[in-house]
Amino acid sequence: MSDTTYLAEGPRTAIRPFTHADADEFTARARESRELHRPWLFPPVGPDAYAAYAGALIEDPTKAGFLVCERHGAAEGRTDGAIAGFININNIVIGGFRCGALGYGAFAHATRRGLMSEGLGLVIGHAFGPLGLHRLEANVQPDNTGSIALVRRAGFRLEGFSPDFLFIDGAWRDHERWAITTEMR
């Protein structure tokens, strides 16, 4: 995918918006990553579910979806664009609040390589730059140690605990509230 236009690039990753054309790769990677994602996350694994999911991220102005893509041979100007994960900003509110809530997931082939950490840094820069946000929040289930480690590495601070916060996998789940603001970068 050497003709891909990225919104931001790092040494090993780049971010770009979701497209409908990403359905096959995204859903294949989601199916391969089911064990990794459960019980925290349920990304779309079929074409119809992906079309609805991506459609909302593409069309709804209160959402912004980003694919974290691997960059190989960056020094030589080559990229392969393989999708390593995704980071979405949901519930974007502008005006005096200028905040959004993060949702994210890595794909199994890309775990423990630092790709999501780099990708999250790129998304934060884009959110606080071109999107004009002041604050990002991440609500994480307390037992999801990998997700907590990701936001902690990115500089988020723990702000509180929300019992029965989100309905996931048939039950209301407790979440820790993590946040970062432009002043913290």
Side-chain angles (χ1 to χ4, degrees), residues 57-136:
L57 292 168
I58 294 166
E59 297 165 18
D60 185 340
T62 67
K63 299 177 186 291
F66 304 94
L67 295 173
V68 177
C69 300
E70 293 186 66
R71 298 181 67 223
H72 293 293
E76 297 83 30
R78 295 188 329 263
T79 61
D80 76 351
I83 300 171
F86 56 96
I87 302 170
N88 303 327
I89 306 175
N90 301 298
N91 306 322
I92 296 172
V93 178
I94 54 173
F97 195 36
R98 293 188 296 149
C99 181
L102 292 181
Y104 48 84
F107 291 126
H109 77 282
T111 60
R112 302 200 182 283
R113 295 173 44 207
L115 300 175
M116 288 300 290
S117 290
E118 185 178 300
L120 179 55
L122 295 173
V123 169
I124 292 169
H126 189 76
F128 291 163
L131 291 182
L133 298 181
H134 172 260
R135 175 185 176 86
L136 290 173

